[in-house]
Amino acid sequence: MKHTKPKFSRRKDREFYNTLRTRVNQYFETADVSKFGNSGTVVKMIVLLLLYFVPYLLTVSGLITAPGLVWALWAVMGIGMAGIGMGIMHDANHGSFSKNKKTNNFLGLTLNLLGGNATLWKLQHNVLHHTYTNIDGVDEDIHGRGILRFSPHQELRAIHRFQHIYAWFFYSILTLNWVLQSDYSRVFRYRKLGLIKSDAELRKEFISVVLWKIVYWGYALVLPLLVVPVAPWVIVVSFLTMHLVAGFTLSIIFQTAHVMTTADFPIPAEGSVDNNWAVHQLETTSNYAPNSRVLAWFIGGLNYQIEHHLFAHVSHVHYPEISKIVKHTAEEYGIPYRSYRTFWAALRDHGRMLRQLGTTPRVTPSTVPT
C-alpha cells in the first residue's frame, strides 16, 4: 500500500464551507448549548459499560456457569464492546465527548481496555481516514490487503468476484485482528510515514501496545480460563463469539458510510485533489436511517457520517440538528447530500458495491475520462 498526502484546493467552493461553518456556529450560539456531550452521553456511557462488564463479572464470579448461558453472556459483551467503541471511545478520541481534554484522553483508553490502541487508532482514523476519505493509498479504511477490494482504483483479482459473499466473514474478525496483529504492524508503519515522529516515540508506543495487550489477554481470556468452572473450549468459543459480534457490528456500521455505489473515489493529480476538503467529504460519505433514534443512540450518531466527517469535534448528540443545516446548505450550493432512508437500504447498497467492485476493471489515472 503506497502512501501519499494529497492536498485539497483552498479556493474551490471555499464559500460553501465558510457559510456552513458560520451557520453551524450560529446554531450553537443561538441554542446556547455546548458542542460537547451532555448528561445523555454520560448515561449512555454507563449503560454501555455495564452492557460489557456485567456479563463478564457474572461469568468470572462463578454466578453463571451453564455453558449456554456463558456463551450468550459473552455474545452480549460483543454488543457492549461495539457500543463502547461507537458511543464512548469514538467521541472521546475525537475530543468531543467532554470539554475536558483529560476526560477525553481517559475515556479514549477504553479502546485499549477492549484490545485496541487509542494512539494508533487516532492516527489511522482521525488523521488518515478523516482527512483523505476514500483516496486509495492513503485512507487505510479502504485498504483490503488484497483480499477485499474497496476502491475501483485497486487491483482486481479473480477472488474478488466472490467478495460480496466472503466479505462478511472478514468484517467479523476486525477486532480479533486488532488484538492479534494489526497494532503491532501499524506502530512500525506509522513511524515510516512520519506519523510517529522519532525512534524514541516508536519505542514508547510499541511498549504501550505490548503492555496493554498483556492486560487485555490477561483479563479477557486467561482469567476466565483459570476461574470459570466450565470446559476451556466454552471460554474460547465465547471469547471468539464476542469478537465476531463486535467486529461484524463495527464493520457494517462504518463500511455503509463510504464503500457505496453513490460514493466518489477520487484520484489525486500530481499530488492534489481538485476539490475543497469539505465538498470531498460530502462526495465520499453518506448517511443512513436519519429517523431512527434507537440506532443513532446505540451507534453514537454514526448514521450521520456526513456531519461527523465535517464536524468531528462536535459530539454526536448534536448531529440530528446540524444535519438540517448541512443538508440545506449543500442543496443551496448544488453539492450532493446522500442519505439512505434505512440502515438496511444502505447495507444492501454496500453489498451491491462489493459485487460491483468484484468484477469491474481497475480505474487508473490514464483511464479516467477527461
Side-chain angles (χ1 to χ4, degrees), residues 320-333:
E321 287 301 317
I322 67 175
S323 69
K324 302 171 185 176
I325 301 171
V326 176
K327 182 178 181 181
H328 171 75
T329 308
E331 291 174 348
E332 180 181 333
Y333 281 84

Side-chain angles (χ1 to χ4, degrees), residues 124-189:
Q124 176 265 323
H125 184 80
N126 296 4
V127 177
L128 297 177
H129 171 64
H130 267 260
T131 307
Y132 309 107
T133 312
N134 277 15
I135 298 180
D136 183 41
V138 193
D139 181 2
E140 293 197 352
D141 278 19
I142 61 168
H143 179 44
R145 303 187 182 280
I147 299 173
L148 294 167
R149 186 179 186 232
F150 289 139
S151 168
H153 311 306
Q154 294 167 354
E155 179 186 356
L156 175 64
R157 299 181 178 182
I159 193 175
H160 293 149
R161 183 176 181 180
F162 306 102
Q163 70 171 5
H164 63 287
I165 298 172
Y166 66 74
W168 315 101
F169 166 75
F170 286 99
Y171 288 174
S172 297
I173 62 174
L174 170 69
T175 58
L176 273 175
N177 194 40
W178 288 353
V179 300
L180 289 172
Q181 70 85 25
S182 65
D183 285 337
Y184 297 105
S185 59
R186 277 178 179 161
V187 71
F188 292 103
R189 185 163 70 251

Side-chain angles (χ1 to χ4, degrees), residues 34-41 91 96-99 315 317-318:
S34 168
K35 294 180 180 180
F36 301 99
N38 52 28
S39 58
T41 56
D91 267 18
S96 64
F97 188 95
S98 169
K99 63 181 179 181
S315 171
V317 297
H318 304 295

Side-chain angles (χ1 to χ4, degrees), residues 20-51:
L20 178 60
R21 285 187 297 181
T22 298
R23 289 174 177 176
V24 169
N25 287 333
Q26 286 176 344
Y27 160 75
F28 284 104
E29 292 174 5
T30 302
D32 192 25
V33 294
S34 168
K35 294 180 180 180
F36 301 99
N38 52 28
S39 58
T41 56
V42 175
V43 171
K44 180 191 296 189
M45 175 187 69
I46 295 171
V47 171
L48 293 175
L49 288 172
L50 290 175
L51 192 62

Side-chain angles (χ1 to χ4, degrees), residues 228-305:
V228 180
V230 296
W233 68 265
V234 174
I235 297 299
V236 172
V237 169
S238 299
F239 175 84
L240 292 174
T241 298
M242 175 187 69
H243 276 283
L244 293 176
V245 170
F248 184 78
T249 303
L250 290 168
S251 292
I252 62 174
I253 293 302
F254 282 100
Q255 293 293 4
T256 45
H258 302 292
V259 184
M260 309 292 282
T261 62
T262 56
D264 287 354
F265 295 83
I267 299 179
E270 298 180 353
S272 298
V273 178
D274 186 26
N275 214 350
N276 179 281
W277 173 84
V279 176
H280 171 81
Q281 297 304 319
L282 282 157
E283 292 183 345
T284 57
T285 308
S286 61
N287 289 354
Y288 50 81
N291 298 320
S292 178
R293 293 184 179 181
V294 174
L295 181 67
W297 184 91
F298 176 67
I299 69 174
L302 292 176
N303 51 325
Y304 294 97
Q305 277 282 333

